[in-house]
């Protein structure tokens, strides 16, 4: 059963069509890689999934529940967007950690704020906060930063910051974790540590959508690959097909350019 | 003689300080409201706010003060609402608060817009509410950014309070000048006027130290 299904998604900025007829689905525990050149609409698609952009057409469903339907205004209420976002997590290209908080606080802050809405918050405040705190520590250990919990973002390398950002996204327990070119802002020698963490998540069957330029990584880790160009999905399928023996001319052209640097 | 002069100057500087403190207490929060207005998604509100800010920043504070103090006396049926020293003070406070709120609002706007959009988006995807994002994410980063321009503006405010002399507010320069003109049985005394400068220098020195300390306090993170 698919956990995420996107149907005929469209996005225009004014008269510019950025996404057209985007249809795909993703099964629970699988990893989807979206590849394509800059300006192909990959990032906009991720931003639509995370409700940072409002699609102009189509539907987004998670667990068979329609979260967004461009034709149905009742699915677009501002007041519900916040909770819908929690189905998705997003790791940004530029990390976007909160500079004034330690690594641990970056991971726990949103969960702490959200827990205030729990009916038992007042009665169990101490216990709830302690639990969130411990979970945060656990997540940082999981991404290999057990010894950096009290460091501020500026004291961490880019790769470490991105790993904190991954822990921060995981802390909210999203159904689907999205990555927007997670290693593009990193020095080449730091990409490995971040990719390793993402690979670890894939091994644990975390449902993920990754926009990436790392072809080798997409081939090795993704269960499914989408190639986008000019705002449409040109080709989709398992990596053995899309990356190793692409059917479409445009995909072949893109991959050739890639392997030639 | 020295004690008489110092006593009078102290009294004048107390008025200066009072106007300074009340202006800050009013303009710091009002400026935030004005800055939200000038960033509003509602276009008419945004244009209205920007027009007000343009008028207030584009005309002299002295003119605004004179208008607020004198004009009501001509147009209100009951005559001027500003009676006595308290009335002068209230009129000054209103003029100063409005004027400084407009200046602060632009500093705030710069500070808020200077915080990268990614910060807000990070808060959004983590399910934070708008107000949580403002208070828990944006605010401190904005404060760190605006300390230097705010300290400039606040030091200017200390000196600008002397403009209230135009409606005969008895602040420290008024008190110093009185000894030149003739007061307390003295006239032609020049040094009290010079000495008023010492009050400003010392007070602004203290403020400079305070802002330096604040900037240091914010040094624990970098944005």
């Amino acid at each position: 059963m698919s956990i995420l299904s996107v149907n005929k998604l469209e996005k225009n900025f004014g008269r510019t069509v950025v996404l057209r007829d985007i249809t795909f689905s993703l099964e629970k525990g699988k990893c989807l890689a979206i590849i394509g050149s800059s300006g192909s609409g990959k990032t906009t698609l991720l931003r639509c999934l995370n409700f940072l952009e409002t699609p102009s057409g189509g539907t987004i469903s998670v667990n068979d529940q329609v979260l967004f339907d461009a034709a149905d205004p009742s699915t677009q209420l501002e007041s519900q967007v916040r909770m819908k976002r929690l189905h998705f997590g997003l790791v940004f290209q530029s990390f976007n950690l909160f500079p004034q908080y330690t690594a641990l606080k970056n991971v726990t802050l949103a969960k702490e704020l959200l827990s205030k809405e729990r009916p038992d918050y007042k009665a169990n405040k101490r216990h709830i906060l302690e639990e969130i705190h411990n979970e945060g520590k656990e997540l940082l250990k999981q991404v290999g930063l057990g010894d950096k919990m009290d460091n501020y973002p500026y004291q961490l390398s880019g790769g470490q910051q991105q790993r904190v950002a991954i822990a921060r996204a995981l802390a909210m327990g999203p159904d689907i974790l999205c990555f927007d070119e997670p290693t593009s802002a990193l020095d080449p020698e730091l990409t490995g540590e971040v990719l390793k963490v993402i690979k670890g998540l894939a091994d644990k069957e975390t449902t993920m959508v990754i926009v990436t330029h790392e072809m080798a990584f997409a081939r090795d880790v993704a269960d499914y690959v989408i190639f986008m160009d000019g705002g449409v999905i040109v080709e989709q399928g398992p990596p053995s097909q899309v990356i190793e023996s692409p059917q479409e001319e445009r995909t072949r052209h893109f991959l050739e350019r890639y392997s030639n640097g | 003689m020295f004690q008489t002069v110092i006593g009078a100057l102290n009294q004048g500087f107390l008025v200066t300080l009072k106007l300074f403190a009340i202006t800050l207490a009013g303009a710091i929060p009002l400026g935030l409201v004005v800055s939200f207005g000038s960033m509003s998604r509602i276009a008419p509100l945004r244009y209205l706010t920007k027009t007000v800010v343009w008028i207030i920043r584009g005309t002299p504070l002295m003119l605004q003060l004179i208008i607020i103090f004198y004009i009501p006396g001509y147009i209100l049926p009951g005559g001027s609402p500003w009676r006595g020293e308290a009335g002068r003070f209230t009129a000054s406070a209103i003029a100063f608060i409005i004027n400084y709120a407009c200046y602060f609002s632009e500093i705030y706007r710069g500070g808020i817009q200077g915080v990268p959009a990614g910060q807000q988006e990070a808060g959004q995807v983590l399910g934070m509410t708008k107000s949580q994002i403002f208070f828990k994410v944006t605010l401190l980063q904005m404060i760190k950014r605006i300390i230097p321009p705010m300290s400039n503006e606040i030091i200017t405010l200390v000196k600008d309070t002397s403009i209230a002399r135009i409606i005969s507010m008895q602040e420290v320069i008024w008190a110093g000048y009185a000894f030149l003109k003739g007061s307390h049985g003295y006239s032609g005394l020049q040094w009290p006027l010079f000495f008023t400068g010492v009050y400003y220098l010392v007070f602004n020195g203290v403020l400079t130290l305070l802002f330096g300390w604040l900037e240091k306090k914010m040094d624990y993170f970098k944005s």
Side-chain angles (χ1 to χ4, degrees), chain B residues 41-67:
Chain B
R41 269 195 289 179
I42 307 159
L45 177 62
R46 191 172 64 238
Y47 291 129
L48 178 74
T49 316
K50 288 195 175 222
T51 307
V52 171
V53 171
W54 170 61
I55 291 171
I56 297 293
R57 293 203 309 168
T59 59
L61 172 55
M62 192 184 286
L63 175 63
Q64 294 157 18
L65 185 56
I66 291 172
I67 288 174

PDB file of all heavy atoms in Angstrom, chain B residues 41-67:
ATOM      1  N   ARG B  41       0.483  41.933   4.795  1.00  0.00           N
ATOM      2  CA  ARG B  41       0.071  41.393   3.506  1.00  0.00           C
ATOM      3  C   ARG B  41      -1.135  42.162   2.963  1.00  0.00           C
ATOM      4  O   ARG B  41      -1.485  42.055   1.804  1.00  0.00           O
ATOM      5  CB  ARG B  41      -0.283  39.905   3.655  1.00  0.00           C
ATOM      6  CG  ARG B  41       0.930  39.007   3.395  1.00  0.00           C
ATOM      7  CD  ARG B  41       0.502  37.567   3.186  1.00  0.00           C
ATOM      8  NE  ARG B  41       0.046  36.975   4.445  1.00  0.00           N
ATOM      9  CZ  ARG B  41      -0.400  35.717   4.530  1.00  0.00           C
ATOM     10  NH1 ARG B  41      -0.459  34.962   3.478  1.00  0.00           N
ATOM     11  NH2 ARG B  41      -0.800  35.235   5.697  1.00  0.00           N
ATOM     12  N   ILE B  42      -1.789  42.922   3.875  1.00  0.00           N
ATOM     13  CA  ILE B  42      -2.954  43.718   3.457  1.00  0.00           C
ATOM     14  C   ILE B  42      -2.437  45.031   2.874  1.00  0.00           C
ATOM     15  O   ILE B  42      -1.919  45.892   3.596  1.00  0.00           O
ATOM     16  CB  ILE B  42      -3.877  43.981   4.664  1.00  0.00           C
ATOM     17  CG1 ILE B  42      -4.225  42.657   5.346  1.00  0.00           C
ATOM     18  CG2 ILE B  42      -5.118  44.746   4.247  1.00  0.00           C
ATOM     19  CD1 ILE B  42      -4.676  42.809   6.784  1.00  0.00           C
ATOM     20  N   ALA B  43      -2.578  45.168   1.554  1.00  0.00           N
ATOM     21  CA  ALA B  43      -1.936  46.290   0.866  1.00  0.00           C
ATOM     22  C   ALA B  43      -2.344  47.667   1.401  1.00  0.00           C
ATOM     23  O   ALA B  43      -1.476  48.508   1.629  1.00  0.00           O
ATOM     24  CB  ALA B  43      -2.179  46.183  -0.630  1.00  0.00           C
ATOM     25  N   PRO B  44      -3.650  47.952   1.610  1.00  0.00           N
ATOM     26  CA  PRO B  44      -4.005  49.294   2.093  1.00  0.00           C
ATOM     27  C   PRO B  44      -3.329  49.625   3.425  1.00  0.00           C
ATOM     28  O   PRO B  44      -2.846  50.745   3.619  1.00  0.00           O
ATOM     29  CB  PRO B  44      -5.528  49.230   2.258  1.00  0.00           C
ATOM     30  CG  PRO B  44      -5.973  48.101   1.395  1.00  0.00           C
ATOM     31  CD  PRO B  44      -4.841  47.122   1.373  1.00  0.00           C
ATOM     32  N   LEU B  45      -3.283  48.654   4.326  1.00  0.00           N
ATOM     33  CA  LEU B  45      -2.644  48.887   5.622  1.00  0.00           C
ATOM     34  C   LEU B  45      -1.152  49.165   5.439  1.00  0.00           C
ATOM     35  O   LEU B  45      -0.572  50.061   6.075  1.00  0.00           O
ATOM     36  CB  LEU B  45      -2.845  47.664   6.524  1.00  0.00           C
ATOM     37  CG  LEU B  45      -2.174  47.722   7.900  1.00  0.00           C
ATOM     38  CD1 LEU B  45      -2.722  48.880   8.722  1.00  0.00           C
ATOM     39  CD2 LEU B  45      -2.353  46.417   8.658  1.00  0.00           C
ATOM     40  N   ARG B  46      -0.549  48.400   4.520  1.00  0.00           N
ATOM     41  CA  ARG B  46       0.878  48.568   4.285  1.00  0.00           C
ATOM     42  C   ARG B  46       1.171  49.966   3.734  1.00  0.00           C
ATOM     43  O   ARG B  46       2.057  50.661   4.211  1.00  0.00           O
ATOM     44  CB  ARG B  46       1.344  47.488   3.297  1.00  0.00           C
ATOM     45  CG  ARG B  46       2.852  47.374   3.170  1.00  0.00           C
ATOM     46  CD  ARG B  46       3.255  46.169   2.341  1.00  0.00           C
ATOM     47  NE  ARG B  46       2.814  46.255   0.968  1.00  0.00           N
ATOM     48  CZ  ARG B  46       2.027  45.363   0.358  1.00  0.00           C
ATOM     49  NH1 ARG B  46       1.599  44.311   1.024  1.00  0.00           N
ATOM     50  NH2 ARG B  46       1.674  45.525  -0.899  1.00  0.00           N
ATOM     51  N   TYR B  47       0.344  50.399   2.752  1.00  0.00           N
ATOM     52  CA  TYR B  47       0.575  51.721   2.166  1.00  0.00           C
ATOM     53  C   TYR B  47       0.322  52.835   3.183  1.00  0.00           C
ATOM     54  O   TYR B  47       1.063  53.812   3.254  1.00  0.00           O
ATOM     55  CB  TYR B  47      -0.295  51.914   0.915  1.00  0.00           C
ATOM     56  CG  TYR B  47       0.148  51.034  -0.228  1.00  0.00           C
ATOM     57  CD1 TYR B  47      -0.738  50.217  -0.910  1.00  0.00           C
ATOM     58  CD2 TYR B  47       1.494  51.012  -0.605  1.00  0.00           C
ATOM     59  CE1 TYR B  47      -0.315  49.404  -1.944  1.00  0.00           C
ATOM     60  CE2 TYR B  47       1.930  50.198  -1.638  1.00  0.00           C
ATOM     61  CZ  TYR B  47       1.026  49.397  -2.304  1.00  0.00           C
ATOM     62  OH  TYR B  47       1.456  48.592  -3.320  1.00  0.00           O
ATOM     63  N   LEU B  48      -0.743  52.665   3.971  1.00  0.00           N
ATOM     64  CA  LEU B  48      -1.055  53.672   4.982  1.00  0.00           C
ATOM     65  C   LEU B  48       0.118  53.821   5.951  1.00  0.00           C
ATOM     66  O   LEU B  48       0.592  54.930   6.243  1.00  0.00           O
ATOM     67  CB  LEU B  48      -2.332  53.273   5.739  1.00  0.00           C
ATOM     68  CG  LEU B  48      -2.742  54.230   6.855  1.00  0.00           C
ATOM     69  CD1 LEU B  48      -3.318  55.507   6.269  1.00  0.00           C
ATOM     70  CD2 LEU B  48      -3.774  53.590   7.785  1.00  0.00           C
ATOM     71  N   THR B  49       0.609  52.682   6.449  1.00  0.00           N
ATOM     72  CA  THR B  49       1.708  52.722   7.406  1.00  0.00           C
ATOM     73  C   THR B  49       2.948  53.360   6.783  1.00  0.00           C
ATOM     74  O   THR B  49       3.604  54.196   7.405  1.00  0.00           O
ATOM     75  CB  THR B  49       2.064  51.295   7.874  1.00  0.00           C
ATOM     76  OG1 THR B  49       0.870  50.582   8.138  1.00  0.00           O
ATOM     77  CG2 THR B  49       2.908  51.338   9.121  1.00  0.00           C
ATOM     78  N   LYS B  50       3.238  52.964   5.545  1.00  0.00           N
ATOM     79  CA  LYS B  50       4.438  53.511   4.902  1.00  0.00           C
ATOM     80  C   LYS B  50       4.320  55.014   4.693  1.00  0.00           C
ATOM     81  O   LYS B  50       5.314  55.736   4.785  1.00  0.00           O
ATOM     82  CB  LYS B  50       4.678  52.800   3.559  1.00  0.00           C
ATOM     83  CG  LYS B  50       5.161  51.374   3.783  1.00  0.00           C
ATOM     84  CD  LYS B  50       5.742  50.758   2.533  1.00  0.00           C
ATOM     85  CE  LYS B  50       6.305  49.382   2.861  1.00  0.00           C
ATOM     86  NZ  LYS B  50       7.563  49.074   2.269  1.00  0.00           N
ATOM     87  N   THR B  51       3.096  55.480   4.404  1.00  0.00           N
ATOM     88  CA  THR B  51       2.889  56.925   4.230  1.00  0.00           C
ATOM     89  C   THR B  51       3.122  57.658   5.553  1.00  0.00           C
ATOM     90  O   THR B  51       3.789  58.700   5.589  1.00  0.00           O
ATOM     91  CB  THR B  51       1.455  57.199   3.718  1.00  0.00           C
ATOM     92  OG1 THR B  51       1.229  56.404   2.557  1.00  0.00           O
ATOM     93  CG2 THR B  51       1.275  58.661   3.365  1.00  0.00           C
ATOM     94  N   VAL B  52       2.566  57.104   6.624  1.00  0.00           N
ATOM     95  CA  VAL B  52       2.757  57.734   7.937  1.00  0.00           C
ATOM     96  C   VAL B  52       4.254  57.795   8.278  1.00  0.00           C
ATOM     97  O   VAL B  52       4.773  58.838   8.696  1.00  0.00           O
ATOM     98  CB  VAL B  52       1.977  56.964   9.033  1.00  0.00           C
ATOM     99  CG1 VAL B  52       2.354  57.476  10.416  1.00  0.00           C
ATOM    100  CG2 VAL B  52       0.470  57.103   8.810  1.00  0.00           C
ATOM    101  N   VAL B  53       4.951  56.681   8.063  1.00  0.00           N
ATOM    102  CA  VAL B  53       6.384  56.641   8.369  1.00  0.00           C
ATOM    103  C   VAL B  53       7.142  57.671   7.522  1.00  0.00           C
ATOM    104  O   VAL B  53       8.030  58.376   8.010  1.00  0.00           O
ATOM    105  CB  VAL B  53       6.958  55.218   8.145  1.00  0.00           C
ATOM    106  CG1 VAL B  53       8.481  55.216   8.250  1.00  0.00           C
ATOM    107  CG2 VAL B  53       6.360  54.244   9.156  1.00  0.00           C
ATOM    108  N   TRP B  54       6.721  57.788   6.267  1.00  0.00           N
ATOM    109  CA  TRP B  54       7.371  58.756   5.364  1.00  0.00           C
ATOM    110  C   TRP B  54       7.173  60.182   5.889  1.00  0.00           C
ATOM    111  O   TRP B  54       8.116  60.970   5.930  1.00  0.00           O
ATOM    112  CB  TRP B  54       6.782  58.596   3.956  1.00  0.00           C
ATOM    113  CG  TRP B  54       7.162  59.658   2.995  1.00  0.00           C
ATOM    114  CD1 TRP B  54       8.423  59.964   2.583  1.00  0.00           C
ATOM    115  CD2 TRP B  54       6.290  60.583   2.331  1.00  0.00           C
ATOM    116  NE1 TRP B  54       8.389  61.013   1.691  1.00  0.00           N
ATOM    117  CE2 TRP B  54       7.094  61.403   1.516  1.00  0.00           C
ATOM    118  CE3 TRP B  54       4.901  60.774   2.345  1.00  0.00           C
ATOM    119  CZ2 TRP B  54       6.558  62.414   0.728  1.00  0.00           C
ATOM    120  CZ3 TRP B  54       4.366  61.765   1.547  1.00  0.00           C
ATOM    121  CH2 TRP B  54       5.191  62.582   0.753  1.00  0.00           C
ATOM    122  N   ILE B  55       5.929  60.496   6.300  1.00  0.00           N
ATOM    123  CA  ILE B  55       5.651  61.853   6.786  1.00  0.00           C
ATOM    124  C   ILE B  55       6.433  62.141   8.068  1.00  0.00           C
ATOM    125  O   ILE B  55       7.075  63.183   8.202  1.00  0.00           O
ATOM    126  CB  ILE B  55       4.130  62.037   7.035  1.00  0.00           C
ATOM    127  CG1 ILE B  55       3.391  62.027   5.688  1.00  0.00           C
ATOM    128  CG2 ILE B  55       3.848  63.333   7.783  1.00  0.00           C
ATOM    129  CD1 ILE B  55       1.872  61.974   5.811  1.00  0.00           C
ATOM    130  N   ILE B  56       6.396  61.193   8.996  1.00  0.00           N
ATOM    131  CA  ILE B  56       7.041  61.435  10.289  1.00  0.00           C
ATOM    132  C   ILE B  56       8.563  61.516  10.145  1.00  0.00           C
ATOM    133  O   ILE B  56       9.217  62.362  10.757  1.00  0.00           O
ATOM    134  CB  ILE B  56       6.662  60.315  11.297  1.00  0.00           C
ATOM    135  CG1 ILE B  56       5.154  60.322  11.560  1.00  0.00           C
ATOM    136  CG2 ILE B  56       7.440  60.478  12.597  1.00  0.00           C
ATOM    137  CD1 ILE B  56       4.639  61.542  12.283  1.00  0.00           C
ATOM    138  N   ARG B  57       9.120  60.643   9.292  1.00  0.00           N
ATOM    139  CA  ARG B  57      10.579  60.688   9.146  1.00  0.00           C
ATOM    140  C   ARG B  57      11.010  61.818   8.223  1.00  0.00           C
ATOM    141  O   ARG B  57      12.153  62.257   8.261  1.00  0.00           O
ATOM    142  CB  ARG B  57      11.109  59.355   8.589  1.00  0.00           C
ATOM    143  CG  ARG B  57      10.927  58.210   9.570  1.00  0.00           C
ATOM    144  CD  ARG B  57      11.903  57.092   9.297  1.00  0.00           C
ATOM    145  NE  ARG B  57      11.893  56.675   7.897  1.00  0.00           N
ATOM    146  CZ  ARG B  57      12.794  55.884   7.348  1.00  0.00           C
ATOM    147  NH1 ARG B  57      13.805  55.447   8.087  1.00  0.00           N
ATOM    148  NH2 ARG B  57      12.710  55.546   6.084  1.00  0.00           N
ATOM    149  N   GLY B  58      10.074  62.280   7.398  1.00  0.00           N
ATOM    150  CA  GLY B  58      10.430  63.284   6.402  1.00  0.00           C
ATOM    151  C   GLY B  58      10.262  64.712   6.869  1.00  0.00           C
ATOM    152  O   GLY B  58      10.658  65.639   6.162  1.00  0.00           O
ATOM    153  N   THR B  59       9.670  64.907   8.049  1.00  0.00           N
ATOM    154  CA  THR B  59       9.516  66.274   8.558  1.00  0.00           C
ATOM    155  C   THR B  59      10.237  66.391   9.896  1.00  0.00           C
ATOM    156  O   THR B  59      10.451  65.403  10.584  1.00  0.00           O
ATOM    157  CB  THR B  59       8.029  66.617   8.764  1.00  0.00           C
ATOM    158  OG1 THR B  59       7.463  65.682   9.688  1.00  0.00           O
ATOM    159  CG2 THR B  59       7.249  66.553   7.457  1.00  0.00           C
ATOM    160  N   PRO B  60      10.619  67.620  10.284  1.00  0.00           N
ATOM    161  CA  PRO B  60      11.384  67.768  11.524  1.00  0.00           C
ATOM    162  C   PRO B  60      10.559  67.406  12.760  1.00  0.00           C
ATOM    163  O   PRO B  60       9.368  67.726  12.828  1.00  0.00           O
ATOM    164  CB  PRO B  60      11.739  69.254  11.560  1.00  0.00           C
ATOM    165  CG  PRO B  60      11.497  69.757  10.186  1.00  0.00           C
ATOM    166  CD  PRO B  60      10.436  68.891   9.597  1.00  0.00           C
ATOM    167  N   LEU B  61      11.213  66.757  13.700  1.00  0.00           N
ATOM    168  CA  LEU B  61      10.582  66.466  14.987  1.00  0.00           C
ATOM    169  C   LEU B  61      10.106  67.762  15.630  1.00  0.00           C
ATOM    170  O   LEU B  61       9.055  67.818  16.269  1.00  0.00           O
ATOM    171  CB  LEU B  61      11.589  65.728  15.880  1.00  0.00           C
ATOM    172  CG  LEU B  61      11.212  65.479  17.334  1.00  0.00           C
ATOM    173  CD1 LEU B  61       9.882  64.747  17.461  1.00  0.00           C
ATOM    174  CD2 LEU B  61      12.297  64.658  18.035  1.00  0.00           C
ATOM    175  N   MET B  62      10.876  68.826  15.432  1.00  0.00           N
ATOM    176  CA  MET B  62      10.504  70.107  16.045  1.00  0.00           C
ATOM    177  C   MET B  62       9.146  70.586  15.518  1.00  0.00           C
ATOM    178  O   MET B  62       8.294  71.042  16.271  1.00  0.00           O
ATOM    179  CB  MET B  62      11.573  71.165  15.776  1.00  0.00           C
ATOM    180  CG  MET B  62      11.365  72.408  16.623  1.00  0.00           C
ATOM    181  SD  MET B  62      12.546  73.697  16.229  1.00  0.00           S
ATOM    182  CE  MET B  62      14.034  73.051  16.960  1.00  0.00           C
ATOM    183  N   LEU B  63       8.936  70.437  14.216  1.00  0.00           N
ATOM    184  CA  LEU B  63       7.654  70.825  13.613  1.00  0.00           C
ATOM    185  C   LEU B  63       6.520  69.978  14.181  1.00  0.00           C
ATOM    186  O   LEU B  63       5.454  70.492  14.532  1.00  0.00           O
ATOM    187  CB  LEU B  63       7.741  70.663  12.090  1.00  0.00           C
ATOM    188  CG  LEU B  63       6.439  70.925  11.317  1.00  0.00           C
ATOM    189  CD1 LEU B  63       6.000  72.377  11.487  1.00  0.00           C
ATOM    190  CD2 LEU B  63       6.608  70.589   9.840  1.00  0.00           C
ATOM    191  N   GLN B  64       6.773  68.659  14.293  1.00  0.00           N
ATOM    192  CA  GLN B  64       5.733  67.771  14.826  1.00  0.00           C
ATOM    193  C   GLN B  64       5.373  68.164  16.261  1.00  0.00           C
ATOM    194  O   GLN B  64       4.208  68.177  16.657  1.00  0.00           O
ATOM    195  CB  GLN B  64       6.225  66.316  14.782  1.00  0.00           C
ATOM    196  CG  GLN B  64       6.426  65.796  13.363  1.00  0.00           C
ATOM    197  CD  GLN B  64       7.390  64.624  13.297  1.00  0.00           C
ATOM    198  OE1 GLN B  64       7.665  63.965  14.310  1.00  0.00           O
ATOM    199  NE2 GLN B  64       7.915  64.351  12.110  1.00  0.00           N
ATOM    200  N   LEU B  65       6.394  68.503  17.018  1.00  0.00           N
ATOM    201  CA  LEU B  65       6.197  68.878  18.413  1.00  0.00           C
ATOM    202  C   LEU B  65       5.379  70.169  18.510  1.00  0.00           C
ATOM    203  O   LEU B  65       4.425  70.266  19.290  1.00  0.00           O
ATOM    204  CB  LEU B  65       7.579  69.063  19.052  1.00  0.00           C
ATOM    205  CG  LEU B  65       7.652  69.350  20.528  1.00  0.00           C
ATOM    206  CD1 LEU B  65       6.933  68.275  21.323  1.00  0.00           C
ATOM    207  CD2 LEU B  65       9.115  69.421  20.966  1.00  0.00           C
ATOM    208  N   ILE B  66       5.714  71.143  17.684  1.00  0.00           N
ATOM    209  CA  ILE B  66       4.997  72.421  17.698  1.00  0.00           C
ATOM    210  C   ILE B  66       3.537  72.214  17.310  1.00  0.00           C
ATOM    211  O   ILE B  66       2.626  72.750  17.942  1.00  0.00           O
ATOM    212  CB  ILE B  66       5.685  73.431  16.736  1.00  0.00           C
ATOM    213  CG1 ILE B  66       7.044  73.842  17.317  1.00  0.00           C
ATOM    214  CG2 ILE B  66       4.808  74.655  16.518  1.00  0.00           C
ATOM    215  CD1 ILE B  66       7.890  74.672  16.372  1.00  0.00           C
ATOM    216  N   ILE B  67       3.325  71.381  16.279  1.00  0.00           N
ATOM    217  CA  ILE B  67       1.944  71.133  15.834  1.00  0.00           C
ATOM    218  C   ILE B  67       1.137  70.456  16.942  1.00  0.00           C
ATOM    219  O   ILE B  67       0.036  70.882  17.279  1.00  0.00           O
ATOM    220  CB  ILE B  67       1.942  70.271  14.552  1.00  0.00           C
ATOM    221  CG1 ILE B  67       2.436  71.108  13.370  1.00  0.00           C
ATOM    222  CG2 ILE B  67       0.538  69.726  14.269  1.00  0.00           C
ATOM    223  CD1 ILE B  67       2.628  70.328  12.075  1.00  0.00           C
TER     224      ILE B  67
END
